[in-house]
Amino acid sequence: MQIVKYQFQQHGDERGSLVALEEFKDIPFEIKRVYYMYDTAKGVTRGYHAHKNLEQILICIHGSCKVKLDNGTEKKIVYLEKPYEGLYVPNNMWREMYDFSDDAVLLVLASEYYIEDDYIRNYDEFLNMLQQNKDK
Ligand code: T46
C-alpha cells in the first residue's frame, strides 16, 4: 500500500509560518467540506469505518496523532505531527485515528458533503465490498 503524504509549502518569515491550500492545486480534489476534531479524550480511537466515495486529506495542525490505514490486505500506521503535512485517504480505505496528544487538532479536507450512507462501519461488510469490487 502506498502512503501519500503531501508536504505543503510553508510561507515563513520572522512573524511565523503560514500554509495556504487551494483545491486542485495543493489538494487533488474539490474541497466540499472541512471539519476538525479536538479535545479528544485520552485513549480514544475514532474512525473505525471506510467510505465508498470520499477522498480526504488529514492534517494534524496542532499536536499529534496516529492514523491506521487498512485497504483490506495491508495495514499501515502513519504518524501525523506537522501542520504542513497532509495524509491522503482515498475511498475504500478503513481508517482509525488514535494516540491523540492532549493538544491535537486534526483538520480534515473532504471531497464530498457529509453523507451517512457513504460510511461502511462494519469491517466484514468492508471486506465484502472490496471482494465485490474485485469480482466486477
Ligand atoms: C473520517 C474520519 C477521518 C457531521 O455532522 N458532519 C460531518 O461532516 C462529520 C465528519 C461528522 N458529523 C457528525 C456525525 C457524528 O454525530 O459528527 C459526529 C462525529 O462523527 P464520526 O463519529 O463519524 O467521527 P469520526 O472521527 O469517527 O470520523 C470522522 C469522519 O466522520 C470520517 O468521515 O474519515 O473522521
Side-chain angles (χ1 to χ4, degrees):
M1 184 203 309
Q2 202 201 341
I3 296 294
V4 180
K5 227 187 197 187
Y6 288 89
Q7 304 286 323
F8 304 125
Q9 188 183 357
Q10 299 174 72
H11 302 274
D13 56 30
E14 63 286 351
R15 297 171 298 173
S17 301
L18 183 155
V19 170
L21 302 175
E22 295 185 12
E23 58 189 10
F24 299 126
K25 202 168 146 196
D26 310 283
I27 302 299
F29 49 76
E30 180 186 4
I31 302 166
K32 287 200 179 150
R33 181 164 53 106
V34 175
Y35 62 92
Y36 46 92
M37 51 201 85
Y38 56 96
D39 283 352
T40 308
K42 269 227 164 331
V44 157
T45 300
R46 304 192 63 119
Y48 291 116
H49 58 252
H51 282 279
K52 293 176 229 169
N53 179 37
L54 179 70
E55 295 173 89
Q56 301 193 110
I57 300 270
L58 275 56
I59 310 168
C60 199
I61 55 170
H62 198 258
S64 62
C65 70
K66 286 182 188 146
V67 183
K68 190 208 265 183
L69 295 181
D70 175 352
N71 66 3
T73 47
E74 232 187 307
K75 298 177 181 43
K76 284 220 170 135
I77 293 169
V78 182
Y79 186 52
L80 293 180
E81 53 159 350
K82 295 192 169 80
Y84 53 86
E85 275 185 359
L87 172 65
Y88 176 70
V89 182
N91 64 341
N92 298 340
M93 182 73 78
W94 191 264
R95 82 280 324 263
E96 294 168 19
M97 301 84 72
Y98 62 104
D99 264 4
F100 287 85
S101 62
D102 289 344
D103 56 352
V105 181
L106 182 62
L107 177 81
V108 183
L109 309 177
S111 67
E112 298 295 337
Y113 298 116
Y114 178 72
I115 303 168
E116 180 54 39
D117 271 3
D118 192 62
Y119 285 73
I120 305 162
R121 297 189 181 276
N122 178 288
Y123 191 73
D124 289 335
E125 213 178 285
F126 167 62
L127 294 180
N128 284 340
M129 184 204 62
L130 294 176
Q131 192 55 50
Q132 279 170 17
N133 288 349
K134 257 193 213 160
D135 294 343
K136 268 183 201 166

